[in-house]
Amino acid sequence: MREGPGHSGRGNAGDGDIPGRDLLYDLAACLRFYSRLPVPRLPGEPDPHATPDFRTVPRMLPIAGLVLALPAALVLVAAKGLGLGPFLAATLAVAASCLVTGALHEDGLADLADGFGGGATPERRLEIMRDSRIGSYGGIALVLALALRIGALATLLDRTGALATAAALVLAAALSRIAALAPMVILAPARPDGASASVGRPGKATVGLAAGIGLVLCLLAVPFGLPPGGLLLMAGLAVMAVLALTAIAQARIGGQTGDVVGGCQQVGEIAALLGLILAVPA
């Protein structure tokens, strides 16, 4: 029987010798849920295939975002070092990101765009969002999102260099995933039988820890050449973009779904990269 939200499944207090093991379990759950990485079962970990409890698991989202973005950052640095140029390096980096995550958030953005753009009522919009086929609104949203991410990374490569852009890529991945918790915290699930309703909603302690880790990552990015003002703009614009999309979701479907969360991550990442560009001289 599948464990419901709220069941930690951590075992007894004396089991295992892993310091901070609950955080490690949450990190592993995030990596499995948000990517196609082959994450092995950790010693003493409960069922690795159980539905994650989103009341606690998202506290490790910033670290998971960092891990998921590292392959793309390495591809970007290597491609630039091989002389492929900013556009090709940025394109390969975004392609690597999609491979690692299985285009999970991109799929959510496409479904959200189709539903919000093609439905006349909340019920019809939710029905369209459940359809796995991509329509014109979803296709346009995907093309624009990919173009904006590639263009932003190529611009940063021109202005800041490979290492600073790689740091920005990793940081944007982490900050956008923290910001994308907003619809889960602010809005009720739009479907009582949907995935968002079954996984639970992040609590204040979970969001607070995720935000704290995000702040630490921002500070660690400064030595890579990212300006403090740019870091503030990255975080601020990511939050603003996600809150705007959250408000649209409330107006269009009366709540949030997994597609809304995925779309928020995408617009948050784009907004974060654009915020940094605004702070870096041309």
Side-chain angles (χ1 to χ4, degrees):
M1 183 175 67
R2 189 180 72 181
E3 297 170 348
H7 183 87
S8 65
R10 304 304 196 211
N12 297 322
D15 294 344
D17 296 315
I18 304 175
R21 61 178 183 164
D22 285 356
L23 294 177
L24 290 175
Y25 294 161
D26 286 344
L27 176 59
C30 280
L31 293 175
R32 294 190 191 101
F33 189 82
Y34 286 101
S35 79
R36 293 188 173 180
L37 296 177
V39 182
R41 183 171 186 166
L42 303 180
E45 186 182 11
D47 183 5
H49 303 296
T51 302
D53 183 357
F54 268 64
R55 294 187 299 180
T56 58
V57 164
R59 59 188 172 176
M60 295 305 288
L61 260 180
I63 303 299
L66 184 152
V67 173
L68 296 178
L70 276 178
L74 292 174
V75 167
L76 183 138
V77 172
K80 188 65 169 64
L82 290 172
L84 294 183
F87 175 78
L88 285 178
T91 302
L92 289 171
V94 171
S97 176
C98 292
L99 287 174
V100 169
T101 63
L104 175 68
H105 298 306
E106 288 83 355
D107 179 69
L109 176 67
D111 288 340
L112 180 148
D114 278 333
F116 285 12
T121 66
E123 294 76 18
R124 177 56 180 155
R125 291 168 192 138
L126 287 169
E127 182 183 350
I128 293 173
M129 289 166 68
R130 267 189 165 157
D131 192 333
S132 60
R133 294 170 296 181
I134 297 179
S136 57
Y137 289 109
I140 291 170
L142 277 178
V143 170
L144 291 177
L146 292 172
L148 285 167
R149 289 163 65 193
I150 291 169
L153 291 174
T155 300
L156 287 171
L157 279 170
D158 274 334
R159 296 187 184 183
T160 67
L163 287 180
T165 303
L169 189 160
V170 170
L171 185 57
L175 292 177
S176 61
R177 284 169 172 80
I178 300 170
L181 294 176
M184 299 187 72
V185 174
I186 297 172
L187 304 181
R191 302 188 188 99
D193 60 340
S196 292
S198 68
V199 298
R201 299 168 72 177
K204 292 181 180 179
T206 296
V207 176
L209 180 55
I213 295 174
L215 176 60
V216 172
L217 293 179
C218 285
L219 295 175
L220 292 176
V222 174
F224 287 89
L226 301 185
L231 298 175
L232 288 174
L233 275 175
M234 287 184 76
L237 289 185
V239 170
M240 290 173 62
V242 166
L243 289 178
L245 186 52
T246 298
I248 294 172
Q250 175 62 31
R252 301 296 279 176
I253 59 174
Q256 51 87 9
T257 67
D259 291 333
V260 171
V261 176
C264 282
Q265 187 278 326
Q266 288 287 286
V267 300
E269 182 171 328
I270 292 168
L273 293 172
L274 294 180
L276 181 59
I277 289 173
L278 291 174
V280 177

